[in-house]
Amino acid sequence: MNSPLKNALVHTILFANSLWASSQSYYYNTYEEYIAGQRQPIDTVILDSRSKNRQKWWGGNDFTIATGDKATDKVLKKKAFAVVHNDTTYINCRNLRHDKIPFGNGYVQARRIGERSLLFVNRMCDKETNIKASTMGFMFGAIGGAVMASQIEKQQVCYVISQGTDFKDNINVLLLDDNLIEKILKGQETLLDEYYAEKKITKRRLAKHIIPILEKAGYL
């Protein structure tokens, strides 16, 4: 489906990737401040992740970030848009939404893509998946809910941020789907063929299928 947001996203992604380096740690209050480079320095960063043996840069919002200062930690948890630590960007998922469904608390690693966009990987987050999870929990109790939650966590897909908050202070993100991939890879028929070589749409949209293609295209 075409939309001004998708069209703007495609235009920004098609620019050459910008260099983004940081010798220290910073946080950014908003998406706009991040894009403009208006950062707030942090002296100490305490970074923790539930995925202790993570081998990829992507894998969900399982990072927590703290400094030891209560006032700063409150900002990082509830208000900050992003933290850059050791040249890695972490996005606060608290206000992120897809299909009006929240991603929950915690930070997720992200990559700059184009001049004004960020790509991150997380679980499939939409109304349909949310309903399935609720139904499983209702019908089969805690065990059914846990099984469904485990299945959802394995469905890691790609999302893109290319705008700031709306009137509800939420940031609406785009799922990297067939429509958007076709625009991003326009003119790169070999990579498009590789993308569509996976016939099943639920598998085609998975991050493990898309990320290598974006890397070959030079976007990551």
Side-chain angles (χ1 to χ4, degrees):
M1 180 179 68
N2 292 322
S3 69
L5 176 57
K6 282 195 174 184
N7 291 334
L9 169 63
V10 171
H11 286 307
T12 59
I13 288 180
L14 294 181
F15 284 108
N17 289 341
S18 301
L19 292 177
W20 194 259
S22 169
S23 58
Q24 301 180 38
S25 299
Y26 307 93
Y27 75 88
Y28 301 80
N29 288 300
T30 65
Y31 161 83
E32 291 81 6
E33 288 185 3
Y34 177 85
I35 296 302
Q38 298 172 352
R39 57 199 185 186
Q40 306 294 326
I42 307 174
D43 293 330
T44 303
V45 169
I46 304 167
L47 182 68
D48 192 24
S49 170
R50 288 181 293 133
S51 302
K52 301 299 182 183
N53 298 316
R54 169 192 292 242
Q55 296 181 350
K56 297 183 177 68
W57 62 264
W58 40 273
N61 52 314
D62 62 350
F63 287 94
T64 57
I65 299 178
T67 66
D69 177 75
K70 289 185 178 180
T72 302
D73 289 348
K74 184 176 181 180
V75 172
L76 295 183
K77 181 179 180 180
K78 297 184 177 181
K79 296 182 179 180
F81 168 72
V83 171
V84 173
H85 175 61
N86 289 340
D87 299 335
T88 300
T89 299
Y90 300 86
I91 301 297
N92 190 351
C93 291
R94 186 180 181 89
N95 295 321
L96 301 186
R97 300 289 187 274
H98 176 255
D99 200 21
K100 298 182 179 180
I101 304 299
F103 286 87
N105 294 325
Y107 279 75
V108 62
Q109 284 194 43
R111 289 290 186 273
R112 193 75 176 261
I113 180 168
E115 291 191 339
R116 299 185 59 84
S117 299
L118 286 152
L119 181 145
F120 69 94
V121 175
N122 212 317
R123 61 185 171 82
M124 189 63 200
C125 185
D126 61 2
K127 292 178 181 177
E128 181 181 354
T129 304
N130 201 44
I131 290 172
K132 287 181 180 179
S134 298
T135 301
M136 283 288 289
F138 177 77
M139 294 179 62
F140 302 104
I143 295 178
V147 170
M148 186 63 186
S150 177
Q151 293 177 349
I152 292 173
E153 287 296 327
K154 294 178 181 179
Q155 296 177 22
Q156 296 283 301
V157 294
C158 299
Y159 297 95
V160 177
I161 303 171
S162 60
Q163 65 176 11
T165 57
D166 60 16
F167 68 97
K168 292 183 179 180
D169 289 332
N170 295 325
I171 297 175
N172 296 302
V173 305
L174 292 175
L175 174 68
L176 214 52
D177 56 10
D178 289 356
N179 185 44
L180 198 50
I181 282 289
E182 284 189 6
K183 293 179 180 179
I184 292 172
L185 297 179
K186 185 177 181 179
Q188 302 189 60
E189 300 304 324
T190 300
L191 292 179
L192 270 176
D193 289 343
E194 182 178 345
Y195 173 73
Y196 280 113
E198 174 54 67
K199 302 302 181 183
K200 193 171 183 180
I201 189 171
T202 54
K203 292 184 178 180
R204 192 162 64 235
R205 69 188 180 192
L206 294 179
K208 65 182 180 181
H209 180 62
I210 292 178
I211 293 294
I213 296 174
L214 292 179
E215 290 176 340
K216 291 177 184 178
Y219 290 122
L220 296 175

